[in-house]
Amino acid sequence: VFVSGEPDTLDPLNYDSFVNHVVFGSVNSNLISQYKLGEHNPEIAKSWSVNSDHTKWIFKINPKVTFSDGSKITGNTVLLSWLRMAKIMKSRNSKSGFFENIVGYDNLDETSKEISGLSSTEETVTISLAKPMPNLLDKISFGLYAIVHSSHFDKNGRWIKNKENLIT
């Protein structure tokens, strides 16, 4: 990939940086992709469903998808990665258009171990929203919402991995 410099971080939370966007768009994965605008394709999720008012989404995780080290990507992996992102974004007062619409987001703080509107099993991730989001697939296909291995961040959510040890 030709870019004018190297990425300043591997953390998807800094995906708005042009260099990070270009370099890591092909390295990190999301639940779904939208490589062709308007087309939603499975990536980590193998399928999804939504209720009629677009406030509850259920994603089934593809059991064949793994990280580069061979570890399984599960619904719990997605939940942990997103919970980390949600807490950091809330602490920055950053509005992503996704996290702040999740039920229970207002009660989230840096010590939270869960958010009521996000739940998971090994096979699924369920998102419950306070208001309808018919465009949720567009939103979560953006690189900011890439799922990262839990070894990349410490218990406080700080990014600790360097490019030599990245698990993609």
Side-chain angles (χ1 to χ4, degrees):
V1 176
F2 177 77
V3 291
S4 59
E6 66 180 54
D8 57 348
T9 179
L10 306 173
D11 193 340
L13 280 171
N14 293 334
Y15 201 78
D16 284 339
S17 161
F18 176 75
V19 172
N20 295 359
H21 180 82
V22 170
V23 172
F24 292 110
S26 61
V27 174
N28 294 323
S29 293
N30 293 62
L31 281 179
I32 57 108
S33 70
Q34 190 178 201
Y35 291 119
K36 185 175 179 187
L37 192 59
E39 276 186 28
H40 302 105
N41 298 299
E43 206 163 276
I44 292 172
K46 70 177 181 177
S47 63
W48 55 89
S49 61
V50 62
N51 65 358
S52 61
D53 70 354
H54 295 95
T55 58
K56 186 172 184 179
W57 295 76
I58 300 172
F59 294 85
K60 291 186 180 176
I61 305 302
N62 183 342
K64 296 178 182 176
V65 177
T66 64
F67 284 108
S68 60
D69 70 348
S71 59
K72 279 184 74 170
I73 300 175
T74 67
N76 298 330
T77 308
V78 174
L79 179 72
L80 187 60
S81 183
W82 277 357
L83 180 61
R84 170 198 175 254
M85 285 187 251
K87 289 192 299 188
I88 291 172
M89 290 183 76
K90 186 169 184 198
S91 74
R92 296 176 180 172
N93 200 28
S94 179
K95 307 291 186 207
S96 74
F98 168 49
F99 290 127
E100 63 271 16
N101 294 319
I102 297 174
V103 171
Y105 181 80
D106 292 340
N107 300 322
L108 191 64
D109 66 30
E110 64 187 34
T111 64
S112 298
K113 298 197 184 312
E114 63 181 30
I115 180 172
S116 59
L118 279 179
S119 61
S120 65
T121 67
E122 290 291 306
E123 299 85 21
T124 64
V125 174
T126 301
I127 303 168
S128 297
L129 301 161
K131 67 179 192 177
M133 278 192 75
N135 68 336
L136 179 73
L137 298 178
D138 296 341
K139 182 60 71 178
I140 65 171
S141 67
F142 187 63
L144 171 67
Y145 304 102
I147 307 308
V148 295
H149 196 279
S150 62
S151 69
H152 290 189
F153 49 91
D154 67 17
K155 65 179 181 155
N156 297 315
R158 287 186 296 263
W159 193 262
I160 58 173
K161 282 289 185 175
N162 59 33
K163 62 185 169 188
E164 289 79 25
N165 298 311
L166 184 65
I167 300 171
T168 61

